[in-house]
Amino acid sequence: MNTIYALFPVLIIVAASLLVMILEVFLKREDRSYLAYISLLFLIAAAAGCVKFWDKGYSYFDGNLSLSNLSLFFCFILIIATFLVILISMKYLTLQNANYGEYYVLLLFALSGMIIMVSSSDLIVIFLGLEVLSLSSYALAGLRREDEKSNEAAVKYFLLGSFASAFLVFGIAFLYGATQATAIPSIVEGLQSGSSFGTLGLVGLGLVVIGFGFKVAVVPFHMWTPDVYQGAPTPITAFFSVGPKAVGFAVLLRIFIPYFKDALESQLMFGLLWIIAAITMIAGNLIALRQTNVKRILAYSSIAHAGYLMVAILAQDTQSLVFYLTAYLFMNIGAFAAVIALGKKDHEYLELEDYKGIGFRYPWIGATFAVFLISLAGFPPTGGFLAKFYVFSAAVRQGLVSLVIIGVLASLVSVFYYLRIIIYMYMKEPSYDVEINIDNPSLFLALFLCLYGVLQLGIFPGNILVLISQAVAALPF
Amino acid sequence: MAHFLFFLLAIICIASVLGMIISKDQAYTALFLIVAFVCMGGLFGLLEAPFIAAVQIIIYAGAIMILFIFVVMMINLRKGVGPEKKKWTMYFAVVIAAVLVVELVLTLKGTLEPISSAALESLGSPTDLGRLLFTKYLYPFEITSILIIAALVGAIVLVKKRDKE
Amino acid sequence: MIPLNYFLVLSIILFALGAIAFFVKRDLITQFMAIEIMFNAANLAFLAFAKSAGSLDGQIIVFFVITVAAAEAAVGLAIILLIFRQKKTIKSEDIKLMKG
Amino acid sequence: MEIPILSIVTFLPLAGALLFIFVNRDKENLLRYLALIISIATFIVSLYLYFNFNAQTPDPQFVEKGPWIGYGINYHIGIDGISLYLILLTTFLMPIVILSSWTYIQKRVKEYLIFMFLLQTGIVGVFVSLNLFLFYVFWEAMLIPMYFLIGIWGGKRKIYATVKFVLFTMLGSLLMLVAIFYLYNLFYKATGTYSLNIFDYYRMILNPSVQVWLFLAFGLAFAIKIPMFPFHTWLPDAHVEAPTGGSVVLAAVLLKLGAYGFLRFAFPMFPDALQKFLPILGVLCVIGIIYGGLMALIQKDVKSLVAYSSVSHMGLIMLAIFALNMEGIVGGIYQMLNHGLSTGALFLCVGILYERSHTRMIKDFGGVSKQMPIFSAFFMVCILSSVGLPGLNGFVGEILCLFGVFKANKILAILAVTTIILAAAYLLWMFQRVMQGPITNDRVRSFKDLNLREIIFLTPIVILMFWMGIYPQTFLRKMDVSVANLLNQVNRKEVIFTKVKKENNPPSYILMEKEIKKDSTAKEDKESQ
Amino acid sequence: MTDYFWLIPFIPALSTLILVLFGQKLPKKYVSFQACFAVFASFAISVISFIGLLQTSHEHLPIIKNLFSWIHAGSFQADLALQLDPLSSIMTLVVTGVGFLIHVYSVGYMADDEGYTRYFTYLNLFTFAMLILVMGSNLVVMFVGWEGVGLCSYLLIGFWFDKHSAANAGKKAFIVNRIGDAAFLLGIFFIFTHIGSGEFSVINAAIGGGAITQGLATLIAILLFVGATGKSAQIPLYIWLPDAMEGPTPVSALIHAATMVTAGVYMVARMNVLFTFSGSANSLVAIIGAVTAVFAATMALTQNDIKRVLAYSTISQIGYMFIGCGVGAYAAGMFHLFTHAFFKSLLFLAAGSVIHALSGELNMQKMGGLRKYLPLTYPTFLIGAIAIAGIPFLSGFFSKDAILTSAYANGQYLVWALGIFCAVLTAFYMFRLIFLTFFGNERLEPEAKKHLHESPPAMTIPLVLLAFFSIVAGYVGLPVVVGKDLNFFGRFLEPVIHQAHEVHLSLGTEWMLILISIAVAVTGIFIAWVFYIKNPKIPKNIVARFPGLYKLLYNKYYVDEIYNTLFVNSTIKGSEIVYDHFDLKVIDGVVNGSAKTTNFFGKVLSYFQTGYIKDYALIFLLGVILLLGYLLF
């Protein structure tokens, strides 16, 4: 149905950010938490809108903006992610000297960019959305202005991100040249019709893969990830590890699931993604073994997870991909939330050495962190396990047995470094006292929500699976 | 004539990019870039995109490069850093560039013929362009506004003076 | 009439040069300039394809790309300024606090 | 309304663990008593299973089935004569473990008990699962509490040991997971419905060449868990470093999961592959028996000695199970229970010594019997049970195992019989060095004999040892039908596939269509989606 | 009267249970009373059952009491069943009778030991196990007793476990026994697989019905016999018995002389149908028995430890019993077992009395002239010695003669010759022992001399009783030369010993054989007299003449050492090498190595993560190139 309602999610988020931007000027520094509450309120409204529009299939601008169930589902989890990120940021910003009202503005802009991306199937719109997301992200990464690491993260992210964007644009240009279209369905159709522009289209597609591969951090376009994740303010890292990854895969999904339908035409691309998935899983996990900084460990882990998600793309199973992303959202934000919880004024505890004995000193934080790590490692009965279960079983159904074996072996490696954090938390005696700020209710709410999400998805995922299957039923998007 | 213009512009463009790579002076670098962008504008014109050519020169060569120069002057590192001195890096760079060019050109193999044969008189006037922008491309156009605000906010928050405690 | 693939080859060369410039140059500003060259190369390709397709869509896209480049320039230069304020340098080699 | 008795047995400990979260950690004794009560309650409830178990039918009993996630993933549990006793063993040992940890665990009591209960739920869950997914969930989930138990309350090299344990075990189980995917998919292709119900897989007869790979994947997981030679090196490390309670559970129950897995999954699903691998497996088992025994002989640490003895004993159990005859399998299962009791008890005894001396090195002891006569008696009984002395449980199992093996393959049996010599050698030698001889270490002189609590937790084990040794029919008679059914399953498939094999192009699976249709499981799954 | 025979083993069992549970709290006197009474009660029932058995006709034999079904799984069916037949009846009489006397003796002997209660607990347990062994109606139950007595032997040898040597000896006994048991077990398995049951009656019937081939029978018989060599201390598994003397002396008397060690003989007799059917297994039994007899006797020649001499003598005498069984004269073998139980336990107990008197001195070189100090011990000892030496009219003469005659009659002349040779040696070393201990000059340690005293009545009364039986026990099995059908023993056993061999020798030959036996016995005694009373220098001269031979004998042919190097040490050394170089380096090495390799790759990969933007760009570009290359080529 072509209606202006379709604009609702984007509009409300943009409106929220503008409102926050204006209010920021009038609010005193200590009252800035109201900005967060306002943002949260708007996010709830947006989420409610997503719920309301379920199964309605609204679209606008000739389909440039279409709220299919899948889009709505993505919107919904992105809003949840942002919601959680705001929750974990509130206290953090004051503690870590980054209490700018613009923080929420940028975060909401980034969210709007992501919503634009997932609710469109036109590469131009997606590109613009991506740039909205990216520009906000660059700024967010550098938001702890006094912190050299944060600066460094911003500049690395910015330079490499723009570099990758250039490839993306070039790729879009090639695709445009090959198919005279920028809408994904037409492009896929054009590519599959086997025109004489085969190679041009293929290379264009390859360049697009590079562009988005950078965003979702697959090897070898992952190099920025650990540095940016380490340097960026931790809530933002949590955001980076979930948001851009989700939208990146949402786009790849739109392109490749229809594209892979035609097995003959897509063989080359399939092989390419196969290789990328394999090396991503392997390299991400292997490098993570060597890390001693928790944020870096989680960074490499998110690279590895991109590999698993790539497997889902190859398995051409939207459902498992979406489920994986949902579970990943909760466990990863949860893990970062736990990392944030271990901080005090002007200092965060990020080295493994700091984690010695934390598990018993702060039993609740320790236990929830352990649950997230266990989930990331893929142990039942957590969402992480079920997510891997779905992805890999879908992959086996596609006959990707060897890739799945690589995947499970890689995740075996991952068990080591996830459990390593637990070792430090529970099995080593502290060598010095770690004082943290416990007065952080919003953070604990976020921790609880993530914990709930991880366990709910692991033990009783029924409802969400139903939702996802409804979302997927609307294919093609 | 058109050929001549094309090659002239192309050579100047490539040369100034090379100049940018080789030059050590920040200001020269920026100037080389402006030259390249202007040439690019010319090339756009050759491709029957007068409006875009104008935009290119105004926004790129004008606004963006002024911004660059502005920053260069703020930083005031006139004796900046040249390109990499280590020889292997340069060799490496040349090899990579060559391979990249070869690969991408090979991509065009099949496309060479159809594109060159397609010779159309006119694509349309800036009016058509404007109409298109506000009808078919309204949504992306609106998005650019979000993009610009976001960039604005981002830029400001990063460079504004820290407010006092 | 100039064959359009001339433009495409030029675009490819410029793109490659931009990529290489990003790799060989050692200060942040120039590296960023290299990226602008790459964007321009892409624009050239777009226009060429637009010409071949005989539609204005390509030109519109270029318009958007230029907007994006402008916006990026704003943020990018702000970041570079930030770095300069903190570190008094814009050499990209000096930015290696985090690694491994 | 049926009482979901099996769910209660499975999840009562979990409920206990959840309850514990809300108990103040400083009230350690309250926690301990609560834990004891919960574990005893679980045991009592599990006794209901025994008394109401119908020994006449091979079908699973106390079945509970409910929709869960869909796509074939159901909550489907039930027990037969094979799992019944393993569950009882688990629930029986848990109060003992808790009692044994009463003073041994001084710090972080709360967490310890929580992990113990989680572990129990995991273990019992594996035994009751009739759905492959459910089984795998429990199988993997169980690793976590064990990981913590070793890692937090373990000895000096605890981290190395626990990481090795988890990674090693996971290596196998992850490959098994891939195999499960493969089966899952194959079943879907065959019937168009999703199912992970193991009985459906019993009816799906796979092409032998497919079976080989799947069997390898499943087998590796189980072989590591057992552990079979040469996958055993995690065991001594884990055992040595684990706290007493952990070692007891590890030795008594966890190792049985591997054997159980073979019986429940690998055998009936891949009988042809099983036949193919039998020679290798048999040889590995025999190597394990002798090798484990020889290694045990020279260990300097009591716990690692017992650990290697486990390798040897589990080798015999597996060999008996691989004999694929009634005597062997019944003996194997019985011996699993025996091994659970005797090795568990040995670890308890070692724990008692450790609590007094804080060393496990054999050379630090000597003449302990003089100081601790009551302990000495208990220890002796446990050793004798492990050695397989008639009148005690070990003998019944051992003779059945060896006889089963003997019926299947005389040469392997002759080699396997060496176990009764080796077991006597390493255990009695250890006993001699630890308990007998003059007191050389002054510390030994300060040892106090067992206190009431220790006597209380050792006594039931010893009574059971005698009971199982003297009147094994209590246990044996409820296994027969289930084991016979298993053997039928294993043999039946062979016959069917040889019929089909004559075709030129054997399919990758054959379904026994009629039975599938008769059975409503597949349909229900469809509806539940 | 046989209704309650199954109670026989369970009375000591009950007593054991009570002692285990409450023993520590009960007074010593009560403990000993209960322990002795339990055995006595068993003895009483044994006697009653025996009488009942005499009245039962052969058709009703054996009387089986099936207590409950024990192990039932597939084709392996074993019930806990006891049987009463002549063979088990005799054994129960011996076990409970001699056992009772030894219990009584122990009351005195162990009076001051701190492990008093524990001792009687073990002793009762042993009685129980031994009774199960002899009364089991199938092989599995027999095996239970078989292992049970092994355990008790282990416990009692290591009774004084705080002595290294005792603990070691106990362990050695158990393990060596286990080697035999393993073979025994295999034998049982063969029987179960080919006959399908372990019940003796079924087995006998099946073998009679030709259920197994002769070759298989031989294999089974040999396996069972290997078990017997372990339990009964025959070559090659005899090595544990001499060490077993570390236990208290009454234990040596009961377990390592009278009852347990003869279990092997009992078992062979029990399985006589099998052994006879096999034939060649029988010959092996005879040869092993004969060789062991001589071999052990030679080792006894030079020992100075009074108990060790008796231990070797036991080995040697059991060799005789096996000769009996091996030549088919199972009744004779059993007869020797019967008489041996009396005189050998007598000897041990008497030796115990000596040791007790000397406060634990075992070395005969430090005794001498004890005759006058131990007025009761000396004569009883002497009776035992005469009995074992084979002097007529004492029990040993009859039984030994019956065996040798059967051997000769069966044409096993070599075996017979070895037996005769052994008889010389036996007479010699027994009287060497008598002379060294009770005659000659006193070579006592001053400390020991101080406490020198005759033993209390609790010890001497059993001695006297046993001495009495050592004299008369032989008269239940008189040889043919005395009169036909006077061999009550043999006739009594006939229902069990199928196809019992009739001795087909002329009376003259029989007489000749008897005379030869007597002659060699007397010769042996005479030589001993010459060596140790008449001219004590001769032994020293001989030692000086043949130092090598003496050393060889004194060190027991170095068999222990050879076994140690060959089996024990090499196993341990080998295991250590395997552990260090294979288990830790190879198997564990693979595990740790794979972890290290993984980590190494991680290190290599993280090396690329340099932190420089341009390096990241480089990797990115390389990625692009490879990716495009893949797509294009």
Side-chain angles (χ1 to χ4, degrees), chain A residues 105-117:
Chain A
V105 180
L106 287 170
L107 205 56
L108 291 171
F109 274 134
L111 175 61
S112 65
M114 295 196 293
I115 290 177
I116 289 165
M117 286 173 79

Side-chain angles (χ1 to χ4, degrees), chain D residues 238-501:
Chain D
H239 266 326
V240 168
E241 299 306 327
T244 304
S247 296
V248 173
V249 178
L250 190 60
V253 199
L254 242 62
L255 308 188
K256 312 302 176 294
L257 292 172
Y260 175 78
F262 269 113
L263 287 173
R264 174 69 78 237
F265 302 99
F267 278 24
M269 287 186 201
F270 322 114
D272 301 307
L274 172 68
Q275 301 289 351
K276 209 171 272 178
F277 283 107
L278 269 184
I280 303 166
L281 290 169
V283 169
L284 281 182
C285 286
V286 166
I287 294 175
I289 292 172
I290 297 170
Y291 184 84
L294 290 175
M295 293 303 104
L297 206 54
I298 50 141
Q299 293 304 311
K300 297 184 173 67
D301 180 315
V302 190
K303 268 191 155 180
S304 74
L305 188 150
V306 182
Y308 275 108
S309 90
S310 275
V311 174
S312 175
H313 279 130
M314 290 308 291
L316 177 60
I317 290 171
M318 287 323 293
L319 188 61
I321 288 175
F322 290 135
L324 288 185
N325 51 36
M326 193 72 188
E327 298 82 0
I329 294 183
V330 169
I333 298 168
Y334 201 73
Q335 185 67 358
M336 280 194 237
L337 306 177
N338 297 333
H339 179 256
L341 285 180
S342 58
T343 309
L346 283 178
F347 277 118
L348 288 173
C349 291
V350 177
I352 288 169
L353 280 177
Y354 183 77
E355 224 178 316
R356 284 163 175 72
S357 64
H358 295 281
T359 174
R360 288 180 303 253
M361 289 295 147
I362 292 174
K363 65 174 166 39
D364 295 339
F365 295 104
V368 178
S369 280
K370 230 13 190 217
Q371 285 313 115
M372 306 174 66
I374 302 176
F375 171 69
S376 167
F378 277 109
F379 198 13
M380 190 77 233
V381 173
C382 301
I383 281 183
L384 292 173
S385 158
S386 190
V387 167
L389 192 87
L392 289 163
N393 54 352
F395 173 69
V396 179
E398 214 163 77
I399 197 168
L400 283 177
C401 285
L402 289 170
F403 183 65
V405 177
F406 187 84
K407 257 178 96 174
N409 186 330
K410 298 202 166 47
I411 294 166
L412 290 182
I414 288 166
L415 291 169
V417 162
T418 50
T419 183
I420 73 168
I421 302 163
L422 281 171
Y426 56 74
L427 283 170
L428 291 181
W429 194 28
M430 182 264 278
F431 189 80
Q432 184 198 346
R433 284 177 292 171
V434 172
M435 305 298 291
Q436 305 183 324
I439 297 176
T440 46
N441 188 340
D442 278 338
R443 217 207 247 143
V444 174
R445 263 181 251 281
S446 65
F447 285 5
K448 289 207 170 57
D449 208 347
L450 299 187
N451 57 33
L452 187 64
R453 176 180 57 81
E454 286 161 336
I455 293 176
I456 286 174
F457 72 68
L458 282 176
T459 309
I461 296 187
V462 169
I463 289 175
L464 204 56
M465 281 173 179
F466 277 104
W467 184 355
M468 290 178 73
I470 293 168
Y471 196 66
Q473 282 308 111
T474 327
F475 305 91
L476 290 179
R477 60 164 190 243
K478 295 200 175 180
M479 286 177 199
D480 284 356
V481 180
S482 299
V483 173
N485 184 46
L486 174 76
L487 282 170
N488 275 342
Q489 180 73 23
V490 171
N491 298 329
R492 187 187 64 169
K493 284 198 175 179
E494 219 182 347
V495 174
I496 289 171
F497 214 90
T498 40
K499 274 183 199 158
V500 179
K501 235 180 200 168

Side-chain angles (χ1 to χ4, degrees), chain A residues 196-244:
Chain A
S196 52
F197 306 140
T199 333
L200 189 66
L202 201 61
V203 169
L205 206 55
L207 290 171
V208 169
V209 168
I210 292 167
F212 284 104
F214 174 87
K215 271 286 169 233
V216 300
V218 292
V219 179
F221 313 112
H222 69 288
M223 304 297 281
W224 59 280
T225 323
D227 294 359
V228 172
Y229 278 26
Q230 189 188 350
T234 316
I236 294 306
T237 312
F239 182 74
F240 286 171
S241 69
V242 175

Side-chain angles (χ1 to χ4, degrees), chain E residues 299-305 309 312 364 432 553-554 556:
Chain E
M299 289 190 280
L301 295 177
T302 55
Q303 297 301 315
N304 285 327
D305 182 319
V309 174
Y312 284 112
M364 294 190 295
R432 168 175 176 266
L553 290 182
Y554 186 77
K556 302 158 277 183

Side-chain angles (χ1 to χ4, degrees), chain E residues 206-228:
Chain E
I207 294 171
I212 54 174
T213 62
Q214 205 170 5
L216 186 62
T218 306
L219 179 64
I220 297 172
I222 288 173
L223 284 170
L224 295 182
F225 180 63
V226 172

Side-chain angles (χ1 to χ4, degrees), chain E residues 454-592:
Chain E
E454 180 55 287
S455 304
M459 290 167 69
T460 47
I461 293 169
L463 286 182
V464 173
L465 284 172
L466 282 171
F468 171 72
F469 283 116
S470 301
I471 298 167
V472 303
Y475 292 92
V476 298
L478 292 175
V480 189
V481 288
V482 183
K484 254 199 152 127
D485 291 341
L486 283 179
N487 190 347
F488 303 110
F489 195 89
R491 265 194 297 141
F492 181 61
L493 282 179
E494 259 168 25
V496 187
I497 314 287
H498 301 261
Q499 309 157 335
H501 278 259
E502 295 295 319
V503 181
H504 298 296
L505 285 174
S506 63
L507 276 184
T509 326
E510 290 244 349
W511 274 114
M512 183 199 71
L513 293 174
I514 289 172
L515 287 176
I516 292 174
S517 312
I518 299 169
V520 292
V522 173
T523 319
I525 297 171
F526 177 73
I527 298 170
W529 180 76
V530 172
F531 274 33
Y532 294 97
I533 303 284
K534 183 86 189 308
N535 194 352
K537 276 178 194 150
I538 294 179
K540 280 176 197 143
N541 290 341
I542 292 174
V543 172
R545 279 288 278 286
F546 306 103
L549 184 65
Y550 176 77
K551 247 180 134 180
L552 189 67
L553 290 182
Y554 186 77
N555 287 309
K556 302 158 277 183
Y557 297 101
Y558 298 99
V559 172
D560 272 334
E561 285 77 3
I562 292 167
Y563 277 16
N564 262 336
T565 11
L566 265 186
F567 303 115
V568 183
N569 290 346
S570 62
T571 307
I572 291 177
K573 273 270 140 51
S575 303
E576 271 168 1
I577 291 168
V578 171
Y579 182 67
D580 290 339
H581 296 277
F582 183 69
D583 201 62
L584 291 183
K585 295 235 171 84
V586 178
I587 297 188
D588 216 17
V590 169
V591 177
N592 291 334

Side-chain angles (χ1 to χ4, degrees), chain A residues 209-457:
Chain A
V209 168
I210 292 167
F212 284 104
F214 174 87
K215 271 286 169 233
V216 300
V218 292
V219 179
F221 313 112
H222 69 288
M223 304 297 281
W224 59 280
T225 323
D227 294 359
V228 172
Y229 278 26
Q230 189 188 350
T234 316
I236 294 306
T237 312
F239 182 74
F240 286 171
S241 69
V242 175
K245 193 153 288 184
V247 287
F249 276 104
V251 174
L252 289 175
L253 177 81
R254 281 164 190 279
I255 299 172
F256 284 107
I257 295 217
Y259 181 57
F260 285 152
K261 283 263 152 55
D262 189 346
L264 266 177
E265 281 297 313
S266 57
Q267 222 168 18
L268 260 180
M269 213 59 216
F270 193 85
L272 184 73
L273 292 191
W274 196 101
I275 294 168
I276 288 180
I279 59 169
T280 304
M281 291 188 291
I282 294 169
N285 283 318
L286 284 181
I287 309 179
L289 289 177
R290 305 281 309 162
Q291 305 304 319
T292 57
N293 183 297
V294 178
K295 274 167 92 175
R296 278 188 95 79
I297 293 179
L298 289 173
Y300 283 109
S301 117
S302 87
I303 294 171
H305 281 278
Y308 305 138
L309 287 161
M310 207 49 126
V311 174
I313 295 266
L314 287 166
Q316 299 160 50
D317 192 83
T318 322
Q319 199 164 350
S320 65
L321 178 83
V322 175
F323 186 82
Y324 199 105
L325 279 170
T326 315
Y328 176 72
L329 177 157
F330 286 111
M331 60 203 188
N332 219 35
I333 293 190
F336 279 109
V339 172
I340 291 167
L342 299 170
K344 60 177 180 186
K345 182 86 185 135
D346 290 332
H347 186 76
E348 284 182 281
Y349 292 104
L350 297 175
E351 287 299 313
L352 276 177
E353 285 295 309
D354 302 330
Y355 283 70
K356 279 182 174 175
I358 285 285
F360 290 106
R361 216 178 135 90
Y362 302 105
W364 289 100
I365 299 174
T368 36
F369 194 14
V371 171
F372 297 134
L373 291 171
I374 285 168
S375 179
L376 283 166
F379 281 99
T382 58
F385 166 71
L386 210 58
K388 277 208 182 88
F389 183 90
Y390 278 124
V391 167
F392 286 148
S393 80
V396 170
R397 199 172 311 139
Q398 285 296 323
L400 300 166
V401 178
S402 43
L403 188 63
V404 170
I405 288 175
I406 293 173
V408 293
L409 291 180
S411 72
L412 178 68
V413 173
S414 79
V415 170
F416 176 78
Y417 61 81
Y418 291 124
L419 293 191
R420 189 150 166 242
I421 302 178
I422 295 182
I423 286 173
Y424 274 87
M425 287 202 298
Y426 284 96
M427 301 169 195
K428 297 204 167 180
E429 295 304 320
S431 43
Y432 47 86
D433 269 357
V434 170
E435 289 298 333
I436 69 167
N437 189 315
I438 316 198
D439 171 33
N440 200 343
S442 64
L443 176 72
F444 291 131
L445 177 65
L447 268 178
F448 173 77
L449 288 176
C450 292
L451 184 66
Y452 173 78
V454 164
L455 293 179
Q456 170 84 34
L457 286 176

Side-chain angles (χ1 to χ4, degrees), chain B residues 2-3 6-7 10 13-14 17-18 20-21 23 26 29-30 33 37 40 43-44 46-49 52 55-56 59-60 64 67-68 71-72 74-75 77 81-85 89-90 93 96-97 101 104-105 108 112 115-116 118 120 123 128-129 132-133 136-137 140-141 144 147-148 151 155 158-159, chain C residues 1-10 12-17 19-21 23-27 29-30 32-34 36-37 39-41 43-44 47-57 59-60 62-64 66-71 73-75 77-82 84-85 90-91 93:
Chain B
H3 273 85
F6 171 78
F7 282 112
C13 198
I14 291 173
V17 169
L18 283 174
M20 184 201 99
I21 293 175
S23 149
Q26 299 260 285
T29 319
L33 205 59
F37 285 167
M40 205 75 90
L43 287 166
F44 290 0
L46 282 179
L47 281 167
E48 291 179 50
I52 298 298
V55 168
Q56 167 79 6
I59 295 186
Y60 252 121
I64 297 181
L67 206 60
F68 269 96
V71 172
V72 166
M74 268 177 81
I75 291 170
L77 284 175
V81 271
E84 186 60 62
K85 296 217 176 48
T89 318
M90 288 312 268
I96 288 174
V101 169
L104 289 171
V105 169
L108 301 175
L112 236 59
I115 290 183
S116 55
L120 292 163
L123 282 174
D128 298 331
L129 200 67
L132 209 53
L133 202 57
K136 189 179 172 193
Y137 287 98
F141 184 74
T144 51
L147 177 73
I148 288 166
L158 288 177
V159 292
Chain C
M1 202 63 221
I2 310 156
L4 286 168
N5 46 5
Y6 282 23
F7 287 98
L8 288 177
V9 171
L10 176 63
I12 287 167
I13 290 171
L14 285 174
F15 190 82
L17 280 179
I20 288 314
F23 169 55
V24 283
K25 293 302 279 188
R26 293 190 297 159
D27 65 306
I29 294 181
T30 326
F32 185 30
M33 290 176 184
E36 297 289 355
I37 292 174
F39 273 107
N40 265 287
N43 286 346
L44 192 59
L47 290 176
F49 286 127
K51 178 109 195 286
S52 83
S55 85
L56 274 175
D57 294 344
Q59 297 197 6
I60 301 243
V62 172
F63 174 75
F64 287 133
I66 291 175
T67 318
V68 166
V75 176
L77 290 173
I79 291 172
I80 292 169
L81 264 184
L82 185 67
F84 180 74
R85 279 198 198 149
I90 51 162
K91 269 191 182 175
E93 284 101 334

